[in-house]
Amino acid sequence: MEIEKIDLETSMVAKELRSKLFRMNPADLHPDFQPLGELDRDDIAEIERSLIDIGVMTPVLITGDDTIVAGQGLVEAALQIGLDDIPALTLDDLSEEEYPLFFRQMYRFYRLANIDWEIFQIDAQQILSFTASGRLALKIHAMKSTA
């Protein structure tokens, strides 16, 4: 009988997104999309602590050419603590219905890790420019209202 190895990081990702996950070396990702606000060293340190404490719960979202769309803070923190691979999703692999799942996953990680809401906004805002409408922005705003 073959025993299946459990990947705890993958098991924490929303089940609807797991089949689209793959592993990526954070050093191979390109931070060409710059968030409107910049994450400073303290922000990255906050994400680093959460990665050490609870692991990676949110995959980084990238384009087909390995450019980071969402998760720049995660990538920077992963590099700082020496992770050689992290879960990733490709933007083109997500449907419009799956974007909110991705955001809820990010929000869950930031909330469980007790990371500041502004850091979440900075780290997540780039995906909004890739969505078909402003509906996702309204859903994210609603998340803050329930926080």
Side-chain angles (χ1 to χ4, degrees), residues 59-114:
V60 62
L61 187 62
I62 61 175
T63 62
D65 66 354
D66 301 335
T67 300
I68 302 165
V69 174
Q72 179 62 46
L74 168 65
V75 171
E76 185 62 33
L79 289 168
Q80 292 297 319
I81 62 175
L83 295 179
D84 56 7
D85 68 43
I86 56 174
L89 290 168
T90 303
L91 180 71
D92 293 339
D93 290 343
L94 297 182
S95 67
E96 187 171 337
E97 295 77 31
E98 289 170 324
Y99 289 131
L101 289 172
F102 177 80
F103 264 110
R104 278 195 298 276
Q105 183 73 43
M106 284 187 76
Y107 180 67
R108 181 174 172 237
F109 168 70
Y110 277 74
R111 190 145 184 209
L112 286 173
N114 202 26

Side-chain angles (χ1 to χ4, degrees), residues 42 44-55 77 81:
D42 290 339
I44 298 302
E46 217 175 309
I47 298 170
E48 286 173 33
R49 282 189 299 277
S50 67
L51 289 177
I52 292 167
D53 291 345
I54 63 176
I81 62 175

